[in-house]
Amino acid sequence: MQKSTRMIKKILLPLVFSIILLPPTLTAQQSENKKMVDGIVAIVNNHIILKSEVDQRVSDYMLQYRQQSNQSLNFSKDLWYSALEETVEKYILLEKAKLDSITVSEDQVDQRIDQRIQQVISQLGSERALEDQFGKSVVQLKQDLRETYRTEMIVQKYQQDLMDKVDITRPEVKQYFEQIPQDSLPTIPEQVAVSQIVAVPPPMENAEKAAYELAKQLRDSVVIHDKNFEELARKYSDGPSAPNGGKLPLMSLNDLVAEYSAAASALQPGEISNVVKTTFGYHVIRLNRRVGDQIDTNHILISIDEENYDEQAAIDRLKQLRDSVMTNENVSFAELARKYSDDPNTAPQGGRIFNPRTGERMIPLSQLDPAMYRIVLLLDEPGDISEPKPFNLGSASNRAFRIVRLDRRVEEHVANFKDDYERIRQSALQEKRFKHRQKLLRKFKKEVYVEYKIDVPTYITNPTTS
């Protein structure tokens, strides 16, 4: 049974350490929990743990596992008891976090709830659909979720602080790798490292001028003629927030495009910006409030007509950059990317693309998006650069082009310390942090009152460290 429990822990380990603790799930089941015949299964100091809370945690595990692995995780008693123990551990950590004065602000809690509610609204189609689904107003839902989210965020922050103190040395990584039986070493699929330079087609002069003039007129309507900002946003704005009067929730300055952040942060609450240009178009911004490095704003966005972009100009620019690298050994692809690429995510890294799942440079071919996959198939040797290809950058026009360089290719192989060090290091560090967490929890359990109201197997409450 201990072996079975350890297997479950290994299944749950990536879920636990991906964000330390699963965020509260916003599902219809939560609205039904109060209707369930419920029972107390454990107590941690003054915290009562109900069966329904553990059931929900199991449901969350199973859902996220299916989303991450594309496989189903079958329900079992071991899984349920493990979820119970994770819930107990959550409240133990909450008690320790309080002693260490770990807190989160109301604005941080509100921001997390707003983000989650907006995700669900986008899935259901409208705010009205959300309210119909739960039988509550958005305001009531936020109030119901506040304490749950505050608890999860405090525990998450506390655990992150504990785990950040745990690092791993190269000898430890080597020892971890050498303990893996040779016949258990995984086969690493073919991988590539690639870089890109992106060019967004510039707008035709007349289209850009028309968008700017409309944005300026709307600003004058607010500033000079005292028109209602929200009404103008609903009527004229091209942004997804238009139905809400251009309202954006409290957001970090780093989560907004640089031009928007710079203009909004220069305002006093209630002030209206001049017309601001970003990759999305022209904005008129009103700052509502600022909390630290977070801002609450409304904006009116006037995008530039998609049909009036000069695509050939972008293609020609990329061809010139490609020719410069191919014909002059003193010209660096990375430097050109930093200087000329229009992709804010890859330009600062010299155009280098990182695996979004692992943060590593090497990306399995199977994980490349279809457009990139087709490009890479035509690149034979490291240093080869593609011709300009269409690219969806995610800007307002969704039109862009890119050239891609093959930096490195590693054929399919059995994992080895030299070629796969970073992958092995992450796995070793994850295991070391997990063991450190378990060690701390064993210590904390002696310092916090815990009482189980049901029979719980000892192999769950006292797992081995192996």
Side-chain angles (χ1 to χ4, degrees):
M1 295 298 287
Q2 288 184 354
K3 182 178 180 182
S4 174
T5 303
R6 290 197 297 271
M7 289 178 63
I8 290 174
K9 287 289 187 180
K10 291 296 184 183
I11 290 173
L12 300 184
L13 182 62
L15 303 182
V16 172
F17 277 90
S18 62
I19 50 175
I20 305 302
L21 281 177
L22 290 173
T25 304
L26 188 59
T27 66
Q29 183 175 343
Q30 283 185 318
S31 297
E32 298 299 319
N33 278 347
K34 292 182 180 179
K35 301 177 184 178
M36 296 174 57
V37 176
D38 217 339
I40 299 174
V41 293
I43 298 173
V44 179
N45 276 3
N46 295 323
H47 300 285
I48 294 174
I49 300 174
L50 299 176
K51 177 181 178 295
S52 58
E53 182 177 356
V54 182
D55 291 343
Q56 182 63 54
R57 196 172 189 89
V58 172
S59 177
D60 290 342
Y61 281 145
M62 295 173 71
L63 174 62
Q64 188 159 341
Y65 182 81
R66 184 168 67 250
Q67 291 174 340
Q68 292 185 358
S69 67
N70 240 2
Q71 299 177 13
S72 294
L73 177 63
N74 294 328
F75 176 84
S76 68
K77 288 184 178 180
D78 283 348
L79 179 60
W80 192 92
Y81 283 126
S82 293
L84 168 61
E85 192 60 15
E86 283 288 332
T87 308
V88 168
E89 291 170 354
K90 176 183 74 173
Y91 288 113
I92 291 173
L93 290 168
L94 179 63
E95 291 297 303
K96 301 300 292 185
K98 289 179 179 178
L99 290 175
D100 284 3
S101 301
I102 303 296
T103 61
V104 293
S105 69
E106 290 299 314
D107 284 326
Q108 289 173 316
V109 176
D110 287 341
Q111 181 182 5
R112 183 73 66 87
I113 294 174
D114 285 342
Q115 288 172 347
R116 183 60 182 141
I117 285 179
Q118 287 303 317
Q119 289 173 359
V120 178
I121 288 175
S122 66
Q123 293 168 2
L124 297 178
S126 69
E127 186 174 304
R128 177 65 179 272
L130 172 69
E131 294 178 338
D132 290 344
Q133 177 90 6
F134 290 89
K136 297 180 180 180
S137 68
V138 170
V139 173
Q140 289 174 312
L141 278 173
K142 289 181 179 180
Q143 188 61 39
D144 290 348
L145 290 170
R146 182 162 279 105
E147 282 308 311
T148 302
Y149 268 70
R150 180 183 289 107
T151 296
E152 297 285 350
M153 291 173 68
I154 289 173
V155 174
Q156 179 180 341
K157 183 178 180 180
Y158 180 60
Q159 281 203 116
Q160 189 66 58
D161 289 346
L162 294 177
M163 295 303 102
D164 284 346
K165 296 174 182 177
V166 180
D167 206 347
I168 195 165
T169 65
R170 190 176 183 88
E172 287 178 305
V173 178
K174 186 173 180 63
Q175 182 182 20
Y176 169 85
F177 178 73
E178 290 175 346
Q179 290 175 349
I180 303 174
Q182 286 294 312
D183 59 359
S184 297
L185 291 173
T187 298
I188 307 301
E190 183 177 359
Q191 303 173 89
V192 293
V194 290
S195 300
Q196 67 182 15
I197 298 176
V198 175
V200 174
M204 298 293 190
E205 186 176 349
N206 58 341
E208 183 164 12
K209 183 178 180 181
Y212 171 81
E213 289 299 330
L214 177 54
K216 187 175 182 300
Q217 290 172 17
L218 292 171
R219 180 187 184 276
D220 290 345
S221 294
V222 175
V223 175
I224 299 174
H225 303 292
D226 202 28
K227 296 293 185 180
N228 184 276
F229 194 103
E230 284 82 355
E231 288 182 5
L232 293 178
R234 280 190 283 268
K235 185 173 182 180
Y236 294 102
S237 182
D238 295 320
S241 63
N244 296 324
K247 173 74 171 177
L248 296 181
L250 192 69
M251 297 178 67
S252 169
L253 290 169
N254 293 330
D255 292 337
L256 298 161
V257 291
E259 299 88 349
Y260 191 104
S261 294
S265 60
L267 299 172
Q268 294 297 317
E271 283 189 333
I272 309 296
S273 73
N274 290 318
V275 176
V276 179
K277 182 182 180 183
T278 73
T279 55
F280 296 94
Y282 288 97
H283 304 254
V284 178
I285 305 167
R286 184 185 70 199
L287 178 67
N288 300 320
R289 60 178 176 141
R290 178 169 181 170
V291 181
D293 64 349
Q294 297 179 315
I295 56 174
D296 175 343
T297 58
N298 285 62
H299 76 128
I300 300 171
L301 168 65
I302 304 301
S303 59
I304 301 167
D305 187 350
E306 292 184 10
E307 301 303 319
N308 289 304
Y309 282 83
D310 191 349
E311 295 186 356
Q312 191 58 48
I315 293 172
D316 291 343
R317 180 155 68 96
L318 289 176
K319 285 184 175 181
Q320 291 174 1
L321 295 174
R322 180 180 185 274
D323 290 344
S324 296
V325 177
M326 299 293 287
T327 59
N328 189 338
E329 61 182 18
N330 294 321
V331 175
S332 163
F333 187 97
E335 287 303 317
L336 292 181
R338 291 189 186 95
K339 188 173 182 179
Y340 296 109
S341 181
D342 292 328
D343 181 6
N345 295 317
T346 60
Q349 288 80 42
R352 291 190 292 272
I353 297 175
F354 293 87
N355 189 330
R357 300 185 185 182
T358 65
E360 299 175 14
R361 276 284 280 136
M362 301 304 296
I363 307 174
L365 282 179
S366 61
Q367 293 181 18
L368 295 174
D369 67 75
M372 178 63 82
Y373 181 82
R374 290 191 294 271
I375 294 173
V376 169
L377 285 182
L378 299 177
L379 302 177
D380 297 322
E381 300 292 335
D384 286 353
I385 303 175
S386 73
E387 295 287 343
K389 300 293 182 181
F391 177 51
N392 187 327
L393 183 60
S395 63
S397 68
N398 286 327
R399 297 186 182 207
F401 294 85
R402 65 179 170 183
I403 53 176
V404 176
R405 184 183 68 176
L406 178 63
D407 299 328
R408 186 184 177 200
R409 185 191 299 273
V410 177
E411 301 297 334
E412 182 179 301
H413 64 283
V414 175
N416 64 78
F417 192 73
K418 177 183 176 182
D419 293 328
D420 307 299
Y421 175 77
E422 188 55 36
R423 180 189 295 262
I424 297 165
R425 179 185 176 278
Q426 289 298 323
S427 180
L429 178 59
Q430 186 180 73
E431 179 164 300
K432 183 178 179 180
R433 286 179 169 175
F434 177 71
K435 289 181 176 180
H436 180 66
R437 177 181 183 271
Q438 295 305 99
K439 181 180 178 180
L440 288 176
L441 281 166
R442 286 195 297 274
K443 175 178 178 289
F444 294 161
K445 283 178 181 178
K446 297 176 182 178
E447 303 168 356
V448 176
Y449 174 77
V450 178
E451 179 184 357
Y452 293 93
K453 293 294 188 179
I454 60 173
D455 291 333
V456 179
T458 56
Y459 64 83
I460 292 290
T461 56
N462 296 293
T464 63
T465 58
S466 59

